[in-house]
Amino acid sequence: MPRISYVPMDQMTESMREEMRRCATEGTPRPESSAVRAHAPEVFDTFKSYWEATFRKGVLDHATKELARLYITKTTNCQFCGNQRSTSAGLPEYAADDLLNFESSPAYDDRQKAALAYAQAIAWGEEDLDSLWTRLHVHFTEPELVELGCFVALTFGQQSWIRLIGIGHQEYDVDGIDASTGLAPGIAR
C-alpha cells in the first residue's frame, strides 16, 4: 500500500468518480495515482485538465507523447508508470534497451529520436543546446515543443513522486471495473 492513502470512491464527487472510471478503462493515468491526488480535489481537477491538454489532446500526436512518457519511465526507473500503457497511442512494445539507447536503435525514426532527445534533455540536461534546438525545430513546431516539453516536465515530476509514494497496480477498485486495460504485457492482472 502507498505511503499516502487512497481516497475511497464514496468520498469523491461525481465528476471525480467519472474521471476514476475513465482512468480504469483507458489506462493513463492509473486509478491508483488519481485516488491519491483525490486528497486535494483542486489538485485532482487541475491534474486532470493538464493531463488532458498535454497528453490526451493537443497539437502533437499522442503516440509521440506516449513514447516520451515511456522514456521517462525507463530513465527514472518508475516501475508503476513503466508498466502502464496508453491504449490509444498505438505503439508497439519497445525493449528497455532500445528506449535508453534510442540514438543508436533502429526502432525509432528521426522524429521519434528528436522527441526522445528532448525528453532526455528535460530530465537530465544537455550540453550542446544549439544542436538540440536545431534538431527539434526540424521536426516540431513551437506549439508542439511547448506541449511536449510541458508534458515531459509533468510526467518526470509525477513519476518521481509516484515512485516515492510506493503505489502499485490493481490496488484500487473502481466500481468493479477491470482496470487491467493499459497495463504492459506480463503485468499481473
Side-chain angles (χ1 to χ4, degrees):
M1 295 304 287
R3 303 294 180 137
I4 299 174
S5 65
Y6 299 128
V7 172
M9 289 282 286
D10 63 2
Q11 293 178 18
M12 294 182 192
T13 65
E14 181 52 37
S15 67
M16 292 169 87
R17 288 191 297 270
E18 183 179 316
E19 174 63 5
M20 295 298 291
R21 289 187 284 273
R22 192 205 59 74
C23 291
T25 58
E26 294 183 19
T28 57
R30 300 292 305 156
E32 292 81 7
S33 62
S34 294
V36 170
R37 280 188 292 277
H39 280 287
E42 288 184 20
V43 171
F44 183 99
D45 290 341
T46 300
F47 184 89
K48 174 188 166 193
S49 295
Y50 199 82
W51 187 263
E52 185 78 11
T54 62
F55 186 58
R56 295 174 28 84
K57 292 184 178 177
V59 295
L60 183 62
D61 64 284
H62 185 67
T64 298
K65 293 181 273 192
E66 173 69 348
L67 184 61
R69 188 193 68 77
L70 290 172
Y71 170 81
I72 294 295
T73 68
K74 296 300 179 188
T75 193
T76 62
N77 197 29
C78 179
Q79 297 301 314
F80 180 79
C81 298
N83 288 329
Q84 63 184 310
R85 300 293 182 271
S86 174
T87 59
S88 58
L91 292 177
E93 280 298 312
Y94 294 110
D97 288 347
D98 280 341
L99 272 168
L100 294 177
N101 300 302
F102 63 88
E103 292 289 11
S104 61
S105 174
Y108 311 105
D109 62 28
D110 289 343
R111 187 171 191 267
Q112 290 172 317
K113 287 180 181 183
L116 292 168
Y118 191 34
Q120 181 180 48
I122 292 167
W124 307 114
E126 172 60 48
E127 289 185 26
D128 188 357
L129 291 175
D130 290 336
S131 292
L132 174 68
W133 284 107
T134 297
R135 180 182 188 187
L136 291 171
H137 283 290
V138 166
H139 296 285
F140 301 100
T141 65
E142 288 184 337
E144 289 173 326
L145 290 169
V146 169
E147 186 175 288
L148 182 58
C150 288
F151 173 70
V152 168
L154 172 70
T155 198
F156 183 71
Q158 279 293 299
Q159 290 179 21
S160 298
W161 181 61
I162 286 169
R163 189 181 65 246
L164 181 66
I165 293 171
I167 59 179
H169 292 289
Q170 306 290 307
E171 292 181 351
Y172 191 86
D173 180 53
V174 179
D175 297 338
I177 295 171
D178 175 10
S180 63
T181 299
L183 291 178
I187 300 304
R189 293 180 161 85

